[in-house]
Amino acid sequence: MKDHLVNIGIIGLGTVGTGVARILLKQKELLHTRSALTFQLKAISELDWSRNRDLDLSHVKCTTNADDILLDPEIDIVVETIGGYEPAFSFICKALQNRKHVVTANKALIATKGRELFKIAAANGVDLMFEASVGGGIPIIKGLREGLVANTIESIYGILNGTSNYILTRMHQDELEFGQALQEAQAKGFAEADPTLDVGGGDAAHKLTILASIVSSGFVDFGSIFVEGITAITKLDINFAKSLGYTIKLLAIYRLVEDGLDLRVHPTLIPNSHLLAAVNQELNAIFVKGDFVGDTMFYGPGAGERPTGSAIVGDIVDLSQDLLLKEGEQSSKRTINPDVQVKTIPISQVKNRFYLRFFTLDAPGILSKISGILGDCGISISSMVQLEAHEKENYVPIVLITHEASEASMEKALQEIRKFDFVKENFLRLRVF
Ligand SMILES: NC(=O)c1ccc[n+]([C@@H]2O[C@H](COP(=O)([O-])OP(=O)(O)OC[C@H]3O[C@@H](n4cnc5c(N)ncnc54)[C@H](OP(=O)(O)O)[C@@H]3O)[C@@H](O)[C@H]2O)c1
């Protein structure tokens, strides 16, 4: 960095890259006032220059060759906003090896290849920043690393996937079926053409990997997280949950327990009185409990050009201010330590309250058989709803909420219940907050 000038190169001028470029061009004076630095958008590499992005790029080098950024000795910070694994991974490696700091929003890459990338960053004395990878515009990573640094984080409950939250909100508020709500999310541009990562829980698990790595000062294996998505939830389940005083949300959960970390992503019934139950549409929220601060909640837009651009520029300014103070010295506060393996506990050891919905034959004695099996497995029922026969079929839905039980006991009970002809194949087990 010379004369307090920070040169920036963006690779990928899509939704997020455009947001970053727009902020760097529009907020140049504001950023200078706040940081005493001049941020210069020097170059952008993008494959498709035909799209109109309503940006004045007359002073920016526009190229299709990422090497024009990665090999430019004047560029201090590279922003990677192309997404996916390759060539994003190779570009980030090359930037770090050329001793350029990197800022990215690429949660899939950080969650799965972060260990390698952080090692390369450390070996080259540069930083890899990723605020925008979790919670879009919400400064959750900075909040955890700096604002809550004095705390052992006891638990995190996050609504981290805007698409799933939008779908569940539409199902809850407007009684849509899952497929209808998904189609609507796609039409509005919230969901990808292939929504598997969103509705399957993988995207939330990527983000949970990152949050858990930060608060545990080590690196969590993405594969160690239990993941269940929202595709099996029906309008009926939403209504049952509603009648029992709950709202269903896809939660990413971090809990510090005696034997390690309990990490999971799954749909969860949240009591309507809890703040997280009121987080609707495509918004995100992260409910964090620290041992000294107590309960806190971070809330806001989890995606979109402007919020995500805002988070990336936050990282750029943060990085650059440290460069000004200690030229060339890497800040340890940002590091996810890739060498520390974090111990997680298997899902079978986790205890939960459960929501169970069965379709059973409309015949006497069935409920007592189900409750008998649950009782034999040490599971007691806390509330129950038995409804009218389902549509034209001779099946009735039975809905139970249990007291706390281990996942292993519940699995054992469900294996027994599945053996009965009177239970229709498709039953649903959800967890209760
Ligand atoms: N969208 C959000 O709100 C959001 C929020 C948080 C995090 N993120 C993350 O941010 C990243 C970017 O997401 P996005 O939504 O901005 O994606 P996007 O709209 O698809 O933008 C990616 C851009 O990169 C370009 N590109 C692809 N390969 C390239 C290459 N080799 N060299 C130069 N440019 C290349 C693409 O051009 P073509 O279109 O021609 O392929 C496209 O313009 C992803 O990792 C995503 O997970 C996104």
Side-chain angles (χ1 to χ4, degrees), residues 134 155-161 164 201-212 225-228 230 249-255 262-268 270 276 284-288 433:
V134 185
S155 60
I156 299 176
Y157 296 92
I159 295 176
L160 298 177
N161 183 265
S164 300
D203 175 74
H206 285 147
K207 294 165 178 168
L208 180 61
T209 305
I210 296 171
L211 294 184
I225 295 180
F226 171 82
V227 186
E228 192 178 285
I230 62 167
K249 298 284 181 194
L250 181 67
L251 279 194
I253 299 173
Y254 163 103
R255 286 193 322 130
D262 164 18
L263 300 177
R264 48 204 156 93
V265 171
H266 53 65
T268 309
I270 301 177
L276 285 171
N284 282 197
I286 306 110
F287 194 83
V288 182
F433 189 79

Side-chain angles (χ1 to χ4, degrees), residues 11-17 45-48 51 53 64 66 80-84 87 91 105-107 132-133 136 302-305 308:
I11 307 181
L13 196 60
T15 305
V16 179
S45 166
E46 162 63 36
L47 299 181
D48 178 7
R51 290 200 297 272
R53 294 156 172 107
T64 54
E80 180 279 306
T81 42
I82 63 177
F91 288 167
N106 196 332
K107 57 252 173 174
S133 65
E305 179 192 307
T308 316

Side-chain angles (χ1 to χ4, degrees), residues 46-90:
E46 162 63 36
L47 299 181
D48 178 7
W49 284 104
S50 66
R51 290 200 297 272
N52 178 18
R53 294 156 172 107
D54 192 24
L55 291 170
D56 176 6
L57 299 177
S58 49
H59 300 291
V60 180
K61 176 174 181 161
C62 296
T63 172
T64 54
N65 183 0
D67 275 349
D68 289 342
I69 290 172
L70 299 169
L71 302 178
D72 180 343
E74 286 187 356
I75 288 192
D76 303 289
I77 298 176
V78 173
V79 176
E80 180 279 306
T81 42
I82 63 177
Y85 296 97
E86 280 296 350
F89 178 77
S90 302

